[in-house]
């Protein structure tokens, strides 16, 4: 059974998620801030940490960094009500394996936790949209540095379908590939997103803030 | 150890902002020496009578202290110097007398004719410029007193009979004093600028708070009230909450959209989505990629109208509570996908009655030069794909006029 630590500063939200997740997983701990989260994760060593992007004393990025510093390996699923691209992308770049919104319904939330626990990536339509926006799509001029990884046409296709609201299973059927293949495309996109030298990603985020 | 060493270190005296007549120099020195402020003030006055040197000393000390302590630093509590307070007062008197004596040879005609009046004039200006914390009559008195002293000083310079050789000397003194005054006045000016800036920022902050308060009152509080009244109607409650969420989100993250000159896909779709959410019990998730401001109303409007129609269709017939809208601006066309994971229908046997789909969506898109495709399967949901080629010569005046008027 998947052991989960829940991090969110709102008791009601935590309670609601706990009720949902306890159906098929086990919520072993909760925390309401960055310091408490790092302590709980270090102590309980959960399989998955479901973590709100915005916390009173920091962000999910701080929790991820603190956890890495304490030498604990776990998997993060970021959770947010805000859909600001910068926040979401920065949490993903810090190492979160996925991102969902708090409006995600219960079965999808459980599926997302299971997916990240299995080492796969989870994209909400919003995150897939951010990714498509961040990586050069066909609208943009070719990037100056060909060394940088771009999305392959297949990865773009998967991201587009995710953004359109399709589940992995439906994408697999539509593209007549296996779910495993869809998952591996999503994982590849996540890795590209997390590469340290993605300069134009930073530039994109900066541009976005100006807009 | 470290602490005690730091405690014993000598600190530059701090200008006293509370206990001051002009710049707080006398109070600062008095605090440092450990005597009453009045003693130092008397010492300055005594030196001022010797060719105006007290004023020069005062100005230079002021400048020195102001430069040494630009901001408000850590608490400052000097050790009193000397054995007793009488001891210290005596020291001040002796130093003053000594300085007066030392300055005496230089207080010849030129110095008393130039330094004293100019010193008076400048101190007058300074008094006038020094900000009064209390304001009101006190400030007025300062300004008037400053002006009187200043005018008196200038008159004294103008009417003093100075010999030619002395005039050169006077010029040198004058220049020295002017540069002195610049140095002395600079902190005050900087402080005034800083105060103004802070006041403006505070005003902006207060305005912003008022604006947020008004907005919260008009929107969130009203919605919460409505939700309380409709607590027994879950569909209505959900609808209200969704509408409020979208509105608040747009307000927080998309604040400038109403001010942007160009037309944008994202805000237009969000607006359509919120109108659908308001009318039906369905959540609409909108994702937009590659949005830009150079879109032409003639292209956008039919696209948004058809998208809205598709959302309504999903709300009415899908049987699910969520529809996803994805729009992407590509090089040659804008594409919008409206997708629900609902009951679906047999696209081949589409009912003639469902005018919504064929008229509002397909026909509308074709009239505007675009295309629409509807894919659906029973049990698998429905997706409407819209695509609108982008007018390459984008500045279509007719389209713009239609929107402006």
């Amino acid at each position: 059974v998947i052991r989960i630590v829940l991090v969110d500063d709102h008791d009601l939200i935590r309670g609601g998620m706990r009720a949902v997740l306890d159906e098929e997983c086990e919520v072993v701990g909760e925390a309401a801030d960055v310091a408490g989260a790092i302590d709980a994760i270090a102590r309980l060593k959960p399989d998955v940490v479901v973590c709100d992007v915005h916390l009173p004393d920091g962000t999910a990025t701080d929790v991820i960094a603190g956890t890495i510093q304490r030498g604990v390996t776990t998997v993060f699923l970021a959770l947010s009500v805000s859909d600001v691209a910068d926040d979401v992308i920065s949490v993903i770049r810090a190492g979160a394996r996925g991102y969902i919104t708090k409006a995600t319904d219960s079965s999808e939330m459980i599926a997302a936790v299971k997916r990240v626990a299995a080492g796969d990536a989870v994209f909400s339509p919003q995150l897939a949209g951010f990714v498509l926006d961040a990586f050069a799509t066909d609208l943009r001029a070719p990037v100056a540095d060909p060394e940088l990884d771009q999305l392959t046409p297949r990865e773009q296709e998967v991201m587009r379908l995710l953004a359109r609201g399709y589940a992995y299973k439906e994408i697999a059927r539509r593209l007549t590939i296996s779910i495993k293949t869809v998952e591996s495309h999503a994982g590849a996109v996540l890795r590209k997103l997390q590469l340290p030298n993605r300069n134009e990603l930073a530039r994109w985020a900066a541009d976005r803030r100006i807009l | 150890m470290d602490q005690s060493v730091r405690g014993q270190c000598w600190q530059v005296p701090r200008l006293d902002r509370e206990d001051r007549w002009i710049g707080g120099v006398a109070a600062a020195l008095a605090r440092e020496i450990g005597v009453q402020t009045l003693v130092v003030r008397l010492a300055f006055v005594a030196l001022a009578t010797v060719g105006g040197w007290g004023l020069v000393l005062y100005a230079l000390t002021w400048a020195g202290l102001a430069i040494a302590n630009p901001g408000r630093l850590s608490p400052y509590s000097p050790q009193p110097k000397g054995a007793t307070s009488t001891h210290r007062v005596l020291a001040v008197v002796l130093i003053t007398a000594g300085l007066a004596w030392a300055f005496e040879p230089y207080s010849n005609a030129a110095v008393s004719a130039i330094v004293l009046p100019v010193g008076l004039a400048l101190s007058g200006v300074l008094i006038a410029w020094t900000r009064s914390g209390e304001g009101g009559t006190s400030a007025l008195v300062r300004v008037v007193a400053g002006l009187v002293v200043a005018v008196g000083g200038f008159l004294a310079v103008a009417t003093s009979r100075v010999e030619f050789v002395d005039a050169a000397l006077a010029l040198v003194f004058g220049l020295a004093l002017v540069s002195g005054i610049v140095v002395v006045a600079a902190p005050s000016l900087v402080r005034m600028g800083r105060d103004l800036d802070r006041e403006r920022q505070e005003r902006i902050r207060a305005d912003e708070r008022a604006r947020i308060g008004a907005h919260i009152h008009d929107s969130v509080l009203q919605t919460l009230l409505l939700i309380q009244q409709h607590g027994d109607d879950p569909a209505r409650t959900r609808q209200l909450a969704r509408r409020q969420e979208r509105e608040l989100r747009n307000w927080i993250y998309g604040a400038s959209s109403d001010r942007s000159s160009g037309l944008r896909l994202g805000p237009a779709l969000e607006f359509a989505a919120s109108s659908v959410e308001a009318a039906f019990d369905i959540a609409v998730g909108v994702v937009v990629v590659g949005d830009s401001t150079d879109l032409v109303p003639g292209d956008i409007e039919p696209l948004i109208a058809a998208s809205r129609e598709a959302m309504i269709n999903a709300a009415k017939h899908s049987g699910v509570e969520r529809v996803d809208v994805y729009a992407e601006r590509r090089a040659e066309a804008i594409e919008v996908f409206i997708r629900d994971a609902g009951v679906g229908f047999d696209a081949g046997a589409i009912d003639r009655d469902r005018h919504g789909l064929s008229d509002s969506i397909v026909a509308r898109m074709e009239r505007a030069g675009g295309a629409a495709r509807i894919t659906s399967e029973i049990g698998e949901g429905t997706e409407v794909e819209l695509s609108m080629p982008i007018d390459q010569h984008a500045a279509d005046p007719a389209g713009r006029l239609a929107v402006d008027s």
Side-chain angles (χ1 to χ4, degrees):
Chain A
V1 68
I2 299 168
R3 297 168 70 250
I4 299 171
V5 164
L6 272 180
V7 184
D8 193 302
D9 52 323
H10 294 101
D11 292 350
L12 279 174
I13 300 271
R14 263 201 331 263
M17 285 196 302
R18 182 175 203 135
V20 167
L21 293 172
D22 267 341
E23 284 172 24
E24 295 187 39
C25 311
E26 189 193 347
V27 177
V28 293
E30 295 183 12
D33 52 23
V34 172
I38 294 170
D39 278 347
I41 295 162
R43 200 177 63 240
L44 300 163
K45 301 198 168 46
D47 302 310
V48 176
V49 179
V50 179
C51 187
D52 190 6
V53 171
H54 296 281
L55 294 166
D57 54 343
T59 65
T61 311
D62 301 324
V63 179
I64 296 173
T67 308
I68 292 169
Q69 212 170 31
R70 298 277 281 268
V72 184
T73 32
T74 183
V75 171
F76 282 87
L77 177 63
L79 181 77
S80 170
V81 282
S82 97
D83 289 326
V84 181
D86 301 342
D87 296 346
V88 177
I89 296 276
S90 67
V91 174
I92 293 294
R93 280 177 56 74
R97 297 293 301 168
Y99 165 78
I100 55 173
T101 62
K102 289 181 185 176
T104 307
D105 72 30
S106 34
S107 62
E108 279 177 49
M109 192 174 289
I110 292 172
V113 167
K114 286 182 174 170
R115 183 156 280 131
V116 292
D120 292 319
V122 169
F123 286 83
S124 69
Q126 199 64 251
L127 175 56
F130 292 156
V131 170
L132 285 169
D133 234 351
F135 285 89
T137 57
D138 62 356
L139 179 71
R140 278 155 229 269
V143 279
D145 189 353
E147 298 270 305
L148 289 171
D149 289 302
Q150 293 303 306
L151 298 187
T152 64
R154 199 56 152 183
E155 286 162 359
Q156 280 196 32
E157 214 167 0
V158 170
M159 285 297 122
R160 282 214 173 83
L161 288 169
L162 282 167
R164 279 155 69 174
Y166 284 93
Y168 282 26
K169 189 179 58 162
E170 295 164 314
I171 294 171
R173 207 157 50 93
R174 246 184 110 99
L175 300 179
T176 56
I177 51 180
S178 71
I179 294 184
K180 270 265 142 281
T181 313
V182 177
E183 283 169 352
S184 77
H185 285 309
V189 172
L190 197 73
R191 272 195 301 282
K192 288 180 181 178
L193 207 57
Q194 289 169 346
L195 281 181
N197 62 339
R198 290 214 57 91
N199 294 325
E200 88 268 30
L201 197 63
R203 208 180 312 131
W204 169 82
D207 290 348
R208 186 95 179 187
R209 219 169 286 129
I210 291 163
L211 274 178
Chain B
M1 173 85 185
D2 207 12
Q3 287 285 325
S4 65
V5 168
R6 201 182 307 163
Q8 282 164 7
C9 275
W10 186 80
Q11 280 182 295
V12 181
R14 202 91 17 96
L15 290 176
D16 199 314
R17 285 167 204 287
E18 276 76 48
D19 178 20
R20 62 171 180 162
W21 286 359
I22 302 171
V25 172
L29 291 181
R31 205 135 72 94
E32 175 64 30
I33 300 163
V35 296
Q36 298 219 307
T37 314
L38 184 67
V39 176
V40 180
R41 283 183 181 137
L42 285 175
F44 271 118
V45 171
L47 282 174
T49 58
V50 188
W53 287 103
L55 298 172
V56 177
L57 268 185
Y58 190 94
L60 290 177
T61 315
W62 193 358
L65 295 188
I67 290 166
N69 294 301
R72 269 154 229 170
L73 302 170
S74 53
Y76 162 69
S77 48
Q79 295 285 319
K81 313 289 180 283
T84 63
S85 73
T86 329
H87 190 126
R88 295 191 288 267
V89 172
L90 193 65
V92 172
V93 170
L94 284 176
I95 290 168
T96 309
L99 284 175
W101 190 44
F103 288 142
E104 186 60 32
Y106 304 104
S107 65
N108 55 28
V111 172
S112 56
I114 300 300
V115 175
L116 190 58
V118 170
L120 269 178
L122 294 180
S123 55
V125 171
L126 269 183
I127 291 172
W129 279 8
T130 303
R131 191 191 54 165
S132 143
E134 309 83 50
T137 40
S138 160
L140 191 70
V141 168
R142 271 167 203 261
V143 173
V144 172
L147 283 177
V148 168
V149 178
V151 170
F154 285 128
L155 283 178
V157 175
T159 55
S160 68
R161 286 172 292 124
V162 185
E163 300 204 4
F164 185 73
V165 185
D166 290 338
L169 192 63
L171 192 65
V172 173
F173 271 117
L175 283 177
L177 271 174
V178 166
S179 39
I181 196 87
V182 168
V183 174
V184 169
S188 314
L189 290 176
V190 168
R191 190 188 56 208
M192 266 157 64
R194 221 168 24 213
D195 285 350
L196 267 179
D197 201 45
R198 201 177 46 225
E199 272 161 32
R200 208 190 55 215
Q201 272 179 2
E202 268 162 19
R203 202 172 52 242
I204 289 172
R205 227 170 285 149
D207 285 354
E208 190 69 1
R209 213 167 15 237
R211 201 168 69 87
I212 291 171
H215 182 87
I216 298 282
H217 179 265
D218 288 349
S219 58
V220 180
L221 291 183
Q222 303 290 344
T223 302
L224 288 176
L225 188 72
L226 282 172
I227 286 175
Q228 285 173 42
Q229 286 166 355
H230 294 90
D232 49 350
D233 182 353
R236 176 98 176 108
T237 308
R238 270 200 299 273
Q239 221 170 307
L240 286 167
R242 272 183 204 130
R243 194 182 62 198
Q244 188 55 65
E245 184 201 332
R246 180 182 298 281
E247 198 198 300
L248 206 56
R249 198 189 286 280
N250 284 347
W251 191 67
I252 296 171
Y253 302 119
S256 60
S257 62
D258 51 340
R259 268 180 284 143
S260 72
S261 50
L263 196 58
R264 295 178 57 136
L265 200 52
L269 273 177
E270 290 279 353
F271 183 75
S274 69
S275 75
V276 173
E277 281 185 347
F280 302 92
D281 180 20
I282 194 160
V284 185
V286 178
V287 175
V288 177
V289 167
D291 202 355
S292 59
T293 50
D294 62 337
L295 303 171
V296 179
D299 288 345
I300 288 276
E301 277 159 13
L303 194 61
I304 300 295
S307 304
R308 184 168 182 278
E309 218 44 63
M311 293 177 212
I312 291 173
N313 204 65
K316 278 183 180 165
H317 304 293
S318 71
V320 288
E321 286 180 5
R322 178 177 178 83
V323 55
D324 283 292
V325 177
Y326 172 70
E328 183 173 357
R329 192 246 157 106
R330 312 185 72 149
E332 70 294 342
I334 306 168
E335 291 178 338
V336 184
F337 300 85
I338 301 96
R339 195 253 172 180
D340 68 73
V343 292
F345 56 88
D346 185 351
I350 179 164
D351 200 339
R352 278 281 128 215
D353 290 350
R354 286 176 82 165
H355 284 295
L357 281 180
S358 54
D359 282 359
S360 304
I361 300 178
V362 182
R364 191 195 295 263
M365 289 302 290
E366 281 170 0
R367 266 202 307 276
R373 195 157 70 99
I374 296 151
T375 45
S376 185
E377 245 180 273
I378 289 175
E380 296 292 335
T382 306
E383 184 166 52
V384 178
E385 306 179 29
L386 309 172
S387 104
M388 180 66 79
I390 291 174
D391 196 349
Q392 291 302 335
H393 24 272
D396 173 7
R400 292 224 185 270
L401 276 178
V403 153
D404 290 345
S405 54

